[in-house]
Amino acid sequence: MTTTTFQPGTDNHASNDALHAVAEFPVAWFEATPAYLVLSPIGAFLREWIAASPVGFILSLLKR
């Protein structure tokens, strides 16, 4: 559990540390959940599925 303390007189100013913590929250949350274990195989499946579709076949021909 995280606790937050504020220094007296800083209630009207946003500190850089607070903004940095807000920006890092989604990354820390993603790393702390098993979502990355689920998304990797799904991404690989979708890449292979698109490559096997007619659109993927045409795109592979255009790359050559």
Side-chain angles (χ1 to χ4, degrees):
M1 185 169 143
T2 303
T3 59
T4 305
T5 58
F6 298 101
Q7 296 177 357
T10 60
D11 49 329
N12 292 327
H13 304 286
S15 69
N16 287 335
D17 292 337
L19 296 176
H20 185 67
V22 170
E24 282 189 351
F25 175 76
V27 175
W29 176 82
F30 181 72
E31 291 174 351
T33 61
Y36 69 95
L37 293 174
V38 174
L39 292 178
S40 179
I42 291 173
F45 169 76
L46 289 176
R47 271 192 306 274
E48 291 180 18
W49 182 69
I50 290 171
S53 70
V55 173
F57 182 71
I58 291 170
L59 290 174
S60 69
L61 291 176
L62 293 175
K63 285 183 181 180
R64 294 182 185 183

